[in-house]
Every structure is written in structure tokens, then in C-alpha cells.
Amino acid sequence: EKLVHISIPSTTLVPFADSLAAFDYLSLEMPDLVFIDFSDPAGGGFDLLQKIMSDPWLLHGGIIALCKDYGCSKKLEEMRGANIVVVLTYDDVDYHLAKVMEIIHRNRRILFQREIGADLVSAVSASYKLENDLVVAQCYANLICNFLCNTGRLDFDGRSNLNLALNEMLINAVEHGNCGVTFEEKSAWMAEGKSM
């Protein structure tokens, strides 16, 4: 329901009310990036994701997943094979979406890898400056793992395993390295029901 203004050159947002219309559009246009609201019961987000995952031509587009709560977010994190760039709760959108879109814009060459041209990129190197932001860490880990999977360097199991390891390393780097949070402090904070 919230309107977020993001200025990315040559980007057009095309909204759909249901998963059938969205899938028809995706099948014809094959956009590089898709926003799916997984908490909207009328939208059929999980149904749309299953259709995307069953179509080899659509597997390589990036997905920004929107969720009302962390329960929906956890369910998405457990799905294997989806090319999800980041999962944002509704509360995260105002603060994180502009950052995520900037990361995507700066890393277009590794995000948008269609199967036909995937072998054209033989070597890629990059450096990233990681903010003290766990959503940004998740976004970078997903981008790297999705690229490696989409270019045939990792299978789905390898992507899942590497993603878990990268996320853990990056989150630990932010929490314990950059911010100096000890294990005891983090445990006490989480025990109070607070989010990192």
C-alpha cells in the first residue's frame, strides 16, 4: 500500500492483481527483476513463485520478495531454487528498498544472467563495501550465490550451502567485527525478543 520512489534509469514498474496475469506477463516479457508480495492472499505469490521455478526461461530473473511478517520470510528462505535477491518485510521497505535497488543497479552484470548468455562471462571479480546492515549482507550473499548458480558454477545444493556460509560470515562480520557485539550481548538481546 505504501508508495516508494526509487530512481533507477530505464526501470518500469508494472503491477498485477493476480498471479495468472503476472505469469502471463513474465512469460512474454521475461523481466530481469520481479517484485512479489507473498503476504497478499489474493495475489498468489507462492503460486507465482512455483510457476516461475518450473519455467527454465524465468529461472534467471531476480526476485525481490515482500512479506508482511518474519514467518512468511522464513518460509521463503527455506525454498530451494528460487532466484530471490532479498526478502523484505513491509516494515523494512521504507528503509531498505532504496539501498537494495542501488546494489542491484551497481551489480546488474551478475544479477541478470539469462541461460543463453551465461557462458559469455568467464571471469568476474568485484569488491564490495559492506554496511552495518544485515539486509544488505543478505542481498550481497544472494546476488553472488544466484550468479554462481545461474552460470552453472554451482548446483542448487551448492548455492544453498554457499548462501548459508556467506550469510553467516557476513552477518558475523557486521555483528561481531564491525559493531563489536559479543556472543553474550547478542544472546541476551535475542532472548528479550529483539531483532538484530
Side-chain angles (χ1 to χ4, degrees):
E1 297 291 325
K2 296 180 180 179
L3 179 64
V4 179
H5 176 71
I6 301 166
S7 178
I8 302 279
S10 68
T11 299
T12 304
L13 185 62
V14 181
F16 293 96
D18 62 67
S19 64
L20 183 59
F23 184 72
D24 287 344
Y25 179 84
L26 295 176
S27 298
L28 292 173
E29 298 296 327
M30 294 191 317
D32 295 326
L33 187 63
V34 178
F35 289 79
I36 302 176
D37 184 348
F38 288 91
S39 295
D40 181 0
F46 285 99
D47 179 49
L48 178 59
L49 183 60
Q50 290 297 333
K51 288 179 182 177
I52 289 171
M53 291 170 53
S54 68
D55 187 329
W57 287 102
L58 299 178
L59 281 177
H60 303 287
I63 297 169
I64 294 182
L66 304 172
C67 294
K68 183 176 15 178
D69 54 41
Y70 288 104
C72 173
S73 176
K74 287 293 182 195
K75 184 177 177 183
L76 281 168
E77 288 172 9
E78 294 168 2
M79 293 193 74
R80 300 168 55 84
N83 201 19
I84 294 175
V85 175
V86 70
V87 177
L88 298 174
T89 64
Y90 293 170
D91 293 337
D92 294 335
V93 170
D94 286 341
Y95 184 74
H96 290 102
L97 187 57
K99 287 182 192 182
V100 167
M101 292 303 292
E102 180 59 31
I103 291 168
I104 289 169
H105 182 66
R106 284 193 319 258
N107 294 283
R108 289 181 66 84
R109 68 190 176 125
I110 69 167
L111 176 63
F112 309 129
Q113 294 293 321
R114 295 282 180 212
E115 193 169 352
I116 293 173
D119 59 341
L120 298 177
V121 181
S122 61
V124 174
S125 66
S127 62
Y128 301 103
K129 181 179 178 182
L130 184 62
E131 302 173 33
N132 292 338
D133 187 324
L134 302 184
V135 170
V136 170
Q138 176 195 36
C139 184
Y140 279 123
N142 289 343
L143 281 173
I144 292 166
C145 293
N146 290 345
F147 169 77
L148 293 172
C149 188
N150 289 339
T151 56
R153 291 169 173 89
L154 286 176
D155 60 14
F156 288 131
D157 289 334
R159 174 171 68 177
S160 180
N161 294 336
L162 180 61
N163 192 284
L164 180 65
L166 274 177
N167 266 304
E168 187 66 24
M169 286 179 4
L170 294 175
I171 289 169
N172 282 341
V174 169
E175 291 175 352
H176 306 301
N178 292 0
C179 298
V181 176
T182 66
F183 175 77
E184 292 76 19
E185 289 171 323
K186 179 180 177 179
S187 297
W189 185 261
M190 299 295 282
E192 293 176 18
K194 298 178 182 174
S195 168
M196 288 308 291

